[in-house]
Amino acid sequence: MAVPVSAPPPYSIAGAGPAGLTAATLLARAGRKVVVHERNATVGARFVGDLQVIEDASDPRETVPAMFARLGLAAPAWVPATTAEFFDAKLRRSVVSSKEPYAWFVRRGPDAGTLDTTLLGGALEAGAEVRFRSRLEPKDADLVATGPQTPDGLARETAFESDGATRVRVLFDPAVAPGGYAYLFTVGGRGTFGCAIVRDLGGIDRYFERAREKLLSVEKVPMEGARDAYSFMNFALAPEPLREGRPAAGEAGAFQDYLFGLGMRYAISSGALAAEALLAGGDFAALARASFARRQRVSVANRFLYEAGGAFGLSLFARLAAHADFRALLAGFYRPGALRLALAPIVAALWRNRGRCAHRLPEHWCRRREREIREVALGRIG
Ligand SMILES: Cc1cc2nc3c(=O)[nH]c(=O)nc-3n(C[C@H](O)[C@H](O)[C@H](O)COP(=O)(O)OP(=O)(O)OC[C@H]3O[C@@H](n4cnc5c(N)ncnc54)[C@H](O)[C@@H]3O)c2cc1C
């Protein structure tokens, strides 16, 4: 008589962002039952149709389209970025360009064609179940992909309809975007203006207005049907990507580029690694360390150089970038070279947060930020 074999229990994933949906797609495609719990009513709820870039310079092994193809992920409606205009504090303009795309523009949010809804479609097609308005506690999840926990960096953005012109403008001015930058993108009739900062978070509205005035003084750009949003990001380094003892991918697992706050590529690739580890019973922490640890440490050193350079250093960076292939230049920044690897532990020791933090990660590194976090907690923004 045949012995009944019970099906393995479904995998539970907390969070339907890029990390959770990538993992769900790969697990479901491998024939496993997967339930993704999303606390909001839609995917991408913290975004408003804004344009973001998936950078294509940090990993020399494959381009972004090749990564999507290897993982069998449906590609969102994306637009390659091969040029940009950088402005320094005195509004001096440097035009940068690259032969191959240094990044890919995608839209974020709950609308059709965004990265979020495209990944959702792929996960559903693979057979995953996604339950909206369903919060799952990290301790009950097989994979935690719940995104950032606490504001280490803060952005205010406006998404709008624009004319058909392509504009990729970045303002590097510590006086209007402390520790960050302001950006204006118009691509395919849609646009985004944003100001991202990592200091004095309570002053976000003031910085946003100043940066907008400054960037729009270059050219008055059509902005119809504007939708505004505040959103935040995490910066931490965690040798064990765990939350409450469970594997954690994407920003929940502290996977993010410390230099510019870019997290989408990390979210997708760490979500894929987590699925691989779950399927093979492998060690996710070891896989993640091998794939990302050196690059992330180098991004801490890069951030130190970025902040230490001040307005002069940023202006120099913009002018140098205009004389190089921008993708190759970026790739050089991301490469874990000996000098930056040596600088990273010194910066980490200098900046180390020795007090309490809200990341809820086990033994990890993050930067001292109590003052700003307290300001945000007191509701001085938004
Ligand atoms: C303004 C702004 C601009 C950015 N621009 C860029 C850019 O240009 N390029 C780039 O690469 N990165 C950018 N980033 C960072 C990027 O958006 C994130 O790194 C990326 O979305 C992280 O993906 P994730 O899957 O880890 O988390 P998220 O995208 O945050 O998804 C997590 C999901 O989990 C859900 N969730 C949370 N808790 C629970 C729970 N307990 N139960 C169920 N569901 C839960 C959330 O609702 C959310 O849908 C930007 C970030 C901001 C804020």
Side-chain angles (χ1 to χ4, degrees), residues 227-249:
R227 287 190 278 174
D228 268 31
Y230 297 89
S231 202
F232 59 91
M233 44 234 151
N234 269 182
F235 299 118
L237 299 177
E240 297 291 317
L242 297 173
R243 173 146 299 160
E244 297 182 33
R246 313 302 299 159

Side-chain angles (χ1 to χ4, degrees), residues 331-381:
F333 283 129
Y334 286 118
R335 202 170 298 128
L339 261 179
R340 287 200 191 87
L341 276 175
L343 180 61
I346 301 170
V347 177
L350 202 68
W351 280 352
R352 184 175 193 88
N353 175 17
R354 294 184 170 81
R356 287 190 310 144
C357 83
H359 292 104
R360 288 166 57 193
L361 291 159
E363 193 57 36
H364 71 286
W365 178 87
C366 65
R367 194 173 167 182
R368 275 188 307 272
R369 293 198 181 280
E370 284 92 340
R371 206 178 127 254
E372 284 94 340
I373 287 169
R374 208 168 46 236
E375 279 178 347
V376 172
L378 288 173
R380 284 177 56 183
I381 56 142

Side-chain angles (χ1 to χ4, degrees), residues 229-290:
Y230 297 89
S231 202
F232 59 91
M233 44 234 151
N234 269 182
F235 299 118
L237 299 177
E240 297 291 317
L242 297 173
R243 173 146 299 160
E244 297 182 33
R246 313 302 299 159
E251 283 199 45
F255 295 109
Q256 206 189 50
D257 166 58
Y258 207 99
L259 175 58
F260 291 129
L262 306 181
M264 281 187 288
R265 191 165 183 166
Y266 274 109
I268 292 167
S269 39
S270 63
L273 273 189
E276 193 184 306
L278 284 171
L279 287 169
D283 182 345
F284 174 47
L287 286 173
R289 263 198 303 275

Side-chain angles (χ1 to χ4, degrees), residues 9 13 56 62 66 86 156 158 172 174 187 198 213 234 237 239 314 316 318 324 347 352-354 361:
I13 299 180
D56 204 347
E62 65 181 352
F86 290 167
R156 181 175 162 189
T158 301
F172 295 104
V187 177
V198 302
E213 195 180 317
N234 269 182
L237 299 177
L314 293 174
L316 192 67
V347 177
R352 184 175 193 88
N353 175 17
R354 294 184 170 81
L361 291 159

